[in-house]
Amino acid sequence: MHSNKKIKLCYIEAAAIVMLICVFLFPTIQLFKHTGDNVFTVRLNGVEVGTLSSLENLDSLLMQARRQAVREIGSDELVFMDTELETVGSEKLWAAVDDEEEVIARMADVMKRSTRETLHRSYTVKVNETAVNLGSYDEVHQLLEQALMPYDTQDRYQVELGLDKDREINVLAAVISLRDKAPSEEERFDASAGVTADLEEIFESVEPKTDKSFEDYTAGLTDIEYAEKIEVVEAYLLEEELTTVEKAVDLVTKEQETQIIYKVVAGDTLSQISLDNNIPMDELVAINDALEDENTMIRIDQELVITVPEPELSILWKEEQVYTEDYEAEVQYIPNDDWYTTQRVTLQEPSAGRRKVAAEVAYKNSQEIGREILKEEIYAEAVPKIVERGTKIPPTYIKPISGGRQSSGFGARSAPTKGASTNHKGIDWATPTGTTVVASNAGTVVHAGWASGYGYAVYINHADGRQTRYGHLSKVLVKTGQTVSQGERIALSGNTGRSTGPHLHFEIRINGNAVNPLKYLN
């Protein structure tokens, strides 16, 4: 009995000695208490990277591993990696745990193999609704400076990027400035120089500077700027999202058809508007509902839609020019309150003059948008055109019958009956014989009776120089020379003359030429 106790004690002593040896020789093997899960196996993206005794520092280990992986990849860009962590806990009395540095190293290896994409530090340049992504700050400069090159042929200007103070986020705005710009007033003048400048101002007020001669003008580019606001924002983007400088330049500087509003001014004609804006007449008519054809009348201040070729990024620039030219004097208008605005008479024909000019000309891209005369020397005075014109608004015209169905329009048509015109000079409304016909506008009857082709007809001359005609009547109720008011009963509709059925034929003529009545009826 005593011997057995002695043997058992020896076993216990041996176990204690082995335990001490393991503690000293295998520091990663730990003795745990019974407190639940106390050993955790860690997997990253499905790969086992180590065993830990606690998950308290796991996030920190992962962050350190990420930094080590990026450092070993050797990229300065933003690296995107898969990092899916899994942990499995268990309770053990004895367990070997890994050193944290070893776990970090294994994690870094897994991350390097799990790198999906690298996001490059880039710059997004936005102009209106167009955005392009460039790979470097230098490429942004190349894009913006190449947009200026067609106009700044002497490379006198440069592009600078600075923070946009109007924006809360870090947005860069593009500004154009002169290269080798002269120092500011504060930099150029000290206190004594400032006194000299004040004295010069006093002398100038006593003895003003003489006028500049033509030789004093630079005759070159004087100012340049972007027409649109440009915003540049730093971003991290994938390689396939970046654009080359060449493609970016093409995107923002290539001309595209853009619709703008053109306001009609005195002297405008549709043909001249078409010519000046390089837009075909049929296209001009097609995009404006108010225009029926090239003969449609237009009025001052009327708004027309026109298309012009414009790039996304436009350039505003000015240059001084010195030249000799023939010039026209401005037309002089003499108002006549007794005439309608449709009436005008030329009292004096113009004659061109000759002059030498120094001017500052403003452009938007290659289109001139303004011209300021800085100096001129007249060789021969221009004689102005003098026009007397009316100020009274012309009267309105009303439909001459009530109801009726339009049976034939104005212009080209198939002849409805033998001998009828294929170029219809008015508008026809089908209506029962005996329908009341009224004067479309006040005027004087110049014909009341039979007219070849028209059958019974009435012609009325109006104060604005126009004439209305009413044809195929069954009965005429007025006489030649009679004055009628707008809406006054003048006839009854019928089916006389060259007619295929009961209807009213109605015309409006201007200077003897038939126009589409529908454009003048209220």
Side-chain angles (χ1 to χ4, degrees):
M1 193 66 158
H2 180 72
S3 175
N4 288 339
K5 287 183 179 180
K6 193 170 184 179
I7 293 172
K8 191 178 292 185
L9 183 60
C10 288
Y11 276 128
I12 293 171
E13 289 176 351
I17 292 170
V18 170
M19 184 180 297
L20 289 173
I21 293 172
C22 288
V23 168
F24 286 108
L25 296 181
F26 304 101
T28 58
I29 298 177
Q30 297 187 22
L31 177 65
F32 296 99
K33 296 180 180 179
H34 294 286
T35 57
D37 290 348
N38 51 25
V39 177
F40 300 90
T41 301
V42 180
R43 291 187 177 86
L44 177 61
N45 298 339
V47 179
E48 186 171 324
V49 292
T51 301
L52 300 174
S53 60
S54 169
L55 299 179
E56 184 177 352
N57 295 328
L58 184 59
D59 288 340
S60 174
L61 299 182
L62 183 65
M63 188 64 68
Q64 293 178 61
R66 182 189 293 276
R67 284 196 291 266
Q68 181 174 320
V70 171
R71 187 167 57 249
E72 291 175 2
I73 289 173
S75 174
D76 294 330
E77 308 295 349
L78 191 64
V79 180
F80 187 69
M81 301 172 173
D82 286 323
T83 53
E84 185 179 343
L85 276 174
E86 296 177 85
T87 58
V88 178
S90 58
E91 183 182 22
K92 294 183 179 180
L93 180 62
W94 300 92
V97 295
D98 293 306
D99 181 73
E100 287 186 350
E101 293 299 324
E102 292 181 4
V103 174
I104 291 171
R106 291 178 195 145
M107 283 183 171
D109 286 339
V110 173
M111 285 184 184
K112 286 188 289 184
R113 295 195 301 271
S114 302
T115 299
R116 289 201 303 174
E117 296 159 326
T118 300
L119 297 181
H120 298 269
R121 185 179 182 182
S122 313
Y123 295 87
T124 297
V125 182
K126 185 176 180 182
V127 183
N128 296 323
E129 300 304 315
T130 299
V132 292
N133 302 318
L134 296 171
S136 70
Y137 194 80
D138 287 341
E139 288 185 351
V140 174
H141 267 275
Q142 290 179 47
L143 166 64
L144 299 179
E145 290 189 342
Q146 284 192 46
L148 302 181
M149 285 174 60
Y151 315 105
D152 182 18
T153 55
Q154 296 180 339
D155 197 26
R156 295 177 55 205
Y157 290 82
Q158 64 184 0
V159 179
E160 297 175 338
L161 293 174
L163 283 176
D164 187 341
K165 297 179 181 178
D166 297 331
R167 300 294 297 272
E168 294 181 1
I169 58 175
N170 289 336
V171 175
L172 300 177
V175 179
I176 301 172
S177 62
L178 275 169
R179 295 188 188 277
D180 303 322
K181 185 179 178 181
S184 66
E185 292 293 317
E186 293 179 358
E187 295 169 331
R188 287 194 293 119
F189 295 120
D190 55 20
S192 60
V195 173
T196 303
D198 291 338
L199 290 173
E200 288 179 355
E201 288 183 9
I202 294 172
F203 292 142
E204 285 179 6
S205 63
V206 176
E207 185 179 355
K209 288 184 178 179
T210 58
D211 289 338
K212 293 169 69 175
S213 67
F214 286 105
E215 289 72 25
D216 294 327
Y217 291 96
T218 59
L221 187 66
T222 58
D223 189 32
I224 191 167
E225 61 181 306
Y226 299 113
E228 288 78 25
K229 186 173 183 180
I230 299 171
E231 294 183 339
V232 181
V233 181
E234 186 177 329
Y236 282 88
L237 301 169
L238 300 174
E239 181 76 34
E240 57 264 28
E241 293 180 284
L242 300 181
T243 304
T244 64
V245 175
E246 293 75 15
K247 186 176 180 180
V249 170
D250 186 59
L251 282 172
V252 300
T253 63
K254 185 177 180 180
E255 289 188 339
Q256 306 172 48
E257 291 295 329
T258 304
Q259 289 192 346
I260 64 171
I261 299 298
Y262 175 84
K263 185 172 286 190
V264 176
V265 298
D268 269 346
T269 62
L270 283 179
S271 58
Q272 194 61 47
I273 293 173
S274 170
L275 187 64
D276 290 346
N277 294 281
N278 197 28
I279 174 173
M281 178 62 74
D282 57 350
E283 183 179 334
L284 181 62
V285 172
I287 61 177
N288 285 276
D289 294 336
L291 303 180
E292 185 167 326
D293 53 41
E294 67 274 12
N295 297 316
T296 304
M297 293 186 65
I298 55 176
R299 64 182 185 279
I300 296 174
D301 290 335
Q302 181 178 350
E303 292 185 344
L304 298 176
V305 177
I306 62 173
T307 57
V308 294
E310 268 196 1
E312 196 67 45
L313 177 58
S314 291
I315 306 298
L316 298 175
W317 56 288
K318 295 179 181 178
E319 69 171 0
E320 285 183 355
Q321 299 178 2
V322 178
Y323 53 91
T324 301
E325 66 170 1
D326 292 329
Y327 75 101
E328 301 284 344
E330 286 190 15
V331 179
Q332 295 180 11
Y333 292 101
I334 299 175
N336 188 322
D337 296 337
D338 294 326
W339 292 359
Y340 289 108
T341 54
T342 53
Q343 296 172 274
R344 59 177 59 201
V345 173
T346 299
L347 303 179
Q348 177 176 281
E349 293 294 342
S351 176
R354 187 78 176 164
R355 65 182 177 182
K356 185 175 183 179
V357 173
E360 185 175 63
V361 186
Y363 295 90
K364 184 175 183 181
N365 303 320
S366 57
Q367 185 78 27
E368 181 179 330
I369 58 174
R371 183 176 293 259
E372 180 185 359
I373 304 297
L374 305 175
K375 180 182 178 63
E376 68 175 348
E377 183 178 329
I378 304 295
Y379 298 149
E381 197 81 37
V383 176
K385 182 178 183 178
I386 300 177
V387 177
E388 185 175 7
R389 64 181 179 181
T391 59
K392 288 168 50 176
I393 303 299
T396 58
Y397 289 77
I398 62 173
K399 186 178 177 182
I401 63 168
S402 177
R405 174 183 58 83
Q406 182 180 323
S407 55
S408 184
F410 177 81
R413 66 172 182 177
S414 299
T417 185
K418 186 177 180 181
S421 173
T422 56
N423 183 23
H424 198 214
K425 293 182 175 6
I427 196 87
D428 289 347
W429 288 288
T431 188
T433 297
T435 300
T436 296
V437 179
V438 301
S440 181
N441 190 14
T444 302
V445 178
V446 294
H447 177 84
W450 189 266
S452 179
Y454 287 91
Y456 286 109
V458 173
Y459 301 169
I460 302 175
N461 283 353
H462 304 283
D464 59 357
R466 297 172 184 171
Q467 184 185 84
T468 53
R469 295 185 177 186
Y470 313 77
H472 308 301
L473 307 171
S474 63
K475 188 174 183 179
V476 174
L477 304 177
V478 292
K479 296 178 180 180
T480 300
Q482 181 178 337
T483 300
V484 293
S485 302
Q486 186 180 58
E488 185 176 337
R489 193 164 176 252
I490 60 171
L492 301 178
S493 68
N495 189 28
T496 58
R498 292 196 188 97
S499 175
T500 58
H503 72 283
L504 173 69
H505 172 84
F506 175 67
E507 292 182 19
I508 295 180
R509 294 191 172 225
I510 300 175
N511 298 324
N513 298 314
V515 296
N516 188 348
L518 294 181
K519 294 183 178 179
Y520 300 89
L521 296 180
N522 278 2

